Amino acid sequence: MVDAWLSRLGLTAAPPVTLGGLTTITRAHLDRIPFENLTVFCGDVPELGLEALAAKMLHNRRGGYCVEVNPLLCAALRGLGFDARLRMARVIWQRDVPGPRSHCVCIVTLDGVEHLVDVGFGGPGPIAPVALNNDAGDVDLRTRTRAGLGTVLSRQVDVDDWRDLYTFTDELTTMSDVQAGNWLAATMPGSLFARTLVVTRQSGDTRLVLDGALFRKFAKGRELQAETLQTPDAVITCLQDSFGLDPVPGLKDALIRKGIF
């Protein structure tokens, strides 16, 4: 599986088990395996077995959302010799109160330092490993331990304006927890992922976002382009050309049935 994963990431050799190697993997993952909820949007619950994840994302032109891409990443990192484990998180971004434990992240320990790695947030999350409770690294992101919440990841959106993205604890996470988060995200009434199409890809400093029929490009947080796609066929072309994804059966019907068109 690791060889197929490295090939999918466009890496010709396994990166070293170092922070630099982990950064290379994270950036390649965000570029080559987009965040996407096509399966959920079309009415199904994704399978989370490692073989199913590998078939979908390594052998087909597909991506996934957090409970798919981060378990795949974590398993592959362990295959390379990294000390990696999963944790479930509660999303705070654009919410009045923290949500359920439905977001999945990866924690990697290097030389005694824990790093947050997340290739499945979909929103303005980290594009490189973030050292926990340490100001080194991305100046726009930080983690802080907060009473009653655990470790909170925040992004700076303006001078002295930090917005919380999500929070997690060091509580043991098993695949049963990830399965529960998957079920919530896919089937909970009002779930964003069941309601609308969300696809993102981070390529270098450029972030591509497809939200329903709205296609946008960002660079370092600034919007460069916004275009409202006019037909289901235009959405499919965007998925293929801008995100490198193949459409799934029933996508056109779902776009119409759920009011995107």
Side-chain angles (χ1 to χ4, degrees), residues 29-44:
H29 217 291
L30 289 165
D31 182 24
R32 295 299 188 96
I33 304 181
F35 176 97
E36 53 103 333
N37 68 324
L38 295 175
T39 298
V40 175
F41 180 69
C42 291
D44 293 323

Side-chain angles (χ1 to χ4, degrees), residues 92-113:
I92 307 176
W93 179 251
Q94 297 182 335
R95 299 180 66 100
D96 295 328
V97 297
R101 294 175 72 241
S102 59
H103 183 54
C104 182
V105 303
C106 186
I107 304 297
V108 179
T109 303
L110 288 166
D111 298 324
V113 178

Side-chain angles (χ1 to χ4, degrees), residues 87-141:
R87 290 293 179 262
M88 297 303 294
R90 300 178 186 272
V91 174
I92 307 176
W93 179 251
Q94 297 182 335
R95 299 180 66 100
D96 295 328
V97 297
R101 294 175 72 241
S102 59
H103 183 54
C104 182
V105 303
C106 186
I107 304 297
V108 179
T109 303
L110 288 166
D111 298 324
V113 178
E114 293 182 318
H115 297 268
L116 168 68
V117 182
D118 185 357
V119 295
F121 184 53
I127 62 173
V130 179
L132 298 190
N133 299 310
N134 190 321
D135 290 327
D138 191 331
V139 296
D140 296 327
L141 287 169

